[in-house]
Amino acid sequence: MEPDQADDVGVHVVPTPAILSHGLRPMRGRDPLERNRVATPLELLFDLTFVAGFSMAADQASHYAAEAHWGTALGGLGIAMFALYWAWLNCTWFASAYDTDDWLCRLLTMAEMVGALVLALGLAPMFRSIDEATTAGNDLMVIGYVAIRVALVAQWLRAARQDPLRRRATVTMAISVFLAQVGWITLLALRDAPWSPFALVLVLAADLGAPIAVDRLRGGIPWHAHHVAERFGLLAIIALGEAVSGTIAAVSAVVERNGWSAEAALIVVAGTALTLGSWWVYFIVPSAFVLERRRQLGKFWSYFHVLVFTSIVAMGAALHLAAYVTEGGAAIGPVSALVATVVSVFVFVVAVFVLYSVLVREIDRFHYALVAGTLAFLILAVALVALGASLGVALLAVAAAPFVVVIGYETLGHQHEASALERLAITTGTPAT
């Protein structure tokens, strides 16, 4: 408990040496129903290291897209986001269940952070290896990924020793994650072996399947629904930082070429509006409420988020791409840059609606109208730039697209959501608080 946190009767707790120090504490599992559970400063610091990875992935994707190397851009972005997200996800899930914030936990978290930065440094060589059709550039990325996961194995082993109630689940995670890392290193060493594609499938299955298997072992681990939802929301905000960065890059390109102008102002407004609208749309989904009542959806919800986060980072990459086009150094035209932005926004909006529909166990027909309205503005944006409008004008139309969902939610959608959550609470036998 934080020193200034009040208890249930409003009396502030006097901090004791045990509270103030960071000596070793037994890792026996957090209470999954703990009240007022929030992300810790250590978790926020850990998340911050993934800014470097998202930024590098967006920069590299936009660079190769500007050269019209779309296969490299899309393939590299997909691989980069899978590696970054999967490493982050497993660490986050563990922290939700077993965070002790003692000195050993902090040092192992630092080891994970070092791995995340090494992974980020390995993304540029990975993109280059895809572009050159070789596997020689994957070494640093894999080493960084493995470093994160090995530090996590140490965390799981500690939990296995100190939480006998869930030892079977924690040991299973430790062994599965460790074997998967042995697999990645083996693939790295024997990358040219004829059986490597088959081995890759096995390693991926081990890495992806372990959490699903653990959920079936004595109830899995004691993750906290509201805490996990908050961590995902914070990562979404971090990912949206790439849209802000892309906006700055696009505006800088305009200003450097023509000075401050109406076009620069349009891009500032459009980029900011797109970021705000996307943020608003993401937080419409009632993740914490539903996950608290339907914990069995946790794995689908978290696995599906790789598409949500990838589309968000892709928005930033597309805005970076617009900057390349504005500078005049791209092999593609403004229409291609707009299409990249439009596709990333549309994928994001549709992914959020899919996530919402699965969580509440129904499809709201009103959402079809919202998706259609979103698509209409995105098509308008492409048409505008194809007819000769500036990127700034077209980006305003793109920025308006998520606000179709926002306006729909604030006028009628919130009532539909409240009704859906009430029905869900009734079917799950829990109060709709």
Side-chain angles (χ1 to χ4, degrees):
M1 179 178 291
E2 296 295 332
D4 61 345
Q5 185 174 339
D7 62 16
D8 290 343
V9 294
V11 179
H12 288 279
V13 177
V14 177
T16 64
I19 292 175
L20 295 174
S21 73
H22 296 93
L24 291 178
R25 302 183 180 102
M27 213 173 243
R28 295 192 180 134
R30 301 285 295 259
D31 180 2
L33 300 178
E34 179 182 342
R35 296 182 62 184
N36 303 317
R37 176 78 185 275
V38 296
T40 66
L42 178 62
E43 291 170 332
L44 299 178
L45 182 64
F46 172 77
D47 290 351
L48 189 62
T49 59
F50 284 81
V51 172
F54 290 163
S55 179
M56 185 66 73
D59 286 347
Q60 291 294 308
S62 61
H63 168 72
Y64 284 101
E67 296 180 353
H69 295 189
W70 292 102
T72 300
L74 295 175
L77 182 63
I79 293 172
M81 288 304 299
F82 168 79
L84 288 164
Y85 175 70
W86 189 247
W88 176 87
L89 173 65
N90 281 254
C91 294
T92 297
W93 221 257
F94 176 87
S96 184
Y98 287 105
D99 175 44
T100 55
D101 198 25
D102 54 29
W103 65 263
L104 181 55
C105 181
R106 290 186 172 198
L107 290 179
L108 288 172
T109 300
M110 186 188 75
E112 294 167 356
M113 292 165 64
V114 170
L117 295 178
V118 173
L119 196 165
L121 291 171
L123 293 183
M126 181 272 291
F127 272 85
R128 186 166 58 250
S129 69
I130 293 176
D131 200 53
E132 297 172 355
T134 70
T135 57
N138 298 331
D139 301 41
L140 197 58
M141 184 190 72
V142 173
I143 290 171
Y145 177 82
V146 170
I148 301 172
R149 306 285 274 153
V150 169
L152 183 61
V153 169
Q155 299 265 45
W156 282 116
L157 289 175
R158 183 183 174 195
R161 187 170 67 87
Q162 298 176 353
D163 184 13
L165 182 63
R166 303 178 184 87
R167 183 163 295 156
R168 189 179 174 194
T170 51
V171 168
T172 299
M173 277 301 300
I175 293 175
S176 299
V177 173
F178 178 76
L179 291 178
Q181 305 326 298
V182 172
W184 287 120
I185 294 298
T186 302
L187 282 171
L188 196 64
L190 304 173
R191 70 185 92 207
D192 296 324
W195 44 263
S196 58
F198 176 71
L200 175 62
V201 173
L202 292 179
V203 174
L204 280 172
D207 230 353
L208 294 171
I212 297 175
V214 165
D215 261 3
R216 303 177 182 275
L217 297 175
R218 301 184 65 177
I221 61 173
W223 54 275
H224 192 287
H226 288 268
H227 174 253
V228 166
E230 182 188 18
R231 291 291 304 278
F232 275 70
L234 292 171
L235 190 68
I237 293 173
I238 287 174
L240 282 167
E242 285 309 306
V244 175
S245 176
T247 300
I248 293 174
V251 173
S252 298
V254 172
V255 171
E256 185 174 345
R257 191 169 186 177
N258 302 315
W260 278 100
S261 60
E263 177 72 359
L266 286 175
I267 294 176
V268 169
V269 173
T272 306
L274 179 60
T275 303
L276 176 65
S278 300
W279 167 84
W280 205 324
V281 168
Y282 177 82
F283 284 98
I284 285 173
V285 181
S287 296
F289 178 92
V290 177
L291 291 177
E292 187 177 39
R293 290 153 178 79
R294 302 185 66 202
R295 292 176 66 86
Q296 70 274 19
L297 287 178
K299 287 300 176 286
F300 169 83
W301 179 82
S302 60
Y303 283 33
F304 191 78
H305 260 81
V306 69
L307 182 60
V308 176
F309 291 134
T310 300
S311 60
I312 292 176
V313 173
M315 289 184 208
L319 290 171
H320 277 275
L321 182 58
Y324 281 119
V325 172
T326 301
E327 290 169 348
I332 62 172
V335 174
S336 296
L338 243 294
V339 168
T341 311
V342 161
V343 170
S344 60
V345 172
F346 187 69
V347 170
F348 167 73
V349 170
V350 171
V352 169
F353 276 125
V354 170
L355 200 60
Y356 174 93
S357 299
V358 172
L359 287 179
V360 302
R361 295 196 296 196
E362 60 183 67
I363 297 176
D364 190 338
R365 293 183 179 179
F366 181 53
H367 292 172
Y368 292 127
L370 298 181
V371 171
T374 300
L375 184 59
F377 273 101
L378 295 176
I379 292 173
L380 173 63
V382 177
L384 284 172
V385 78
L387 293 172
S390 69
L391 277 175
V393 172
L395 284 173
L396 274 181
V398 174
F403 278 95
V404 172
V405 179
V406 170
I407 294 171
Y409 174 80
E410 296 298 335
T411 53
L412 293 175
H414 68 282
Q415 299 174 3
H416 292 208
E417 182 173 306
S419 299
L421 295 181
E422 183 177 3
R423 289 190 293 271
L424 181 64
I426 292 172
T427 58
T428 55
T430 56
T433 56

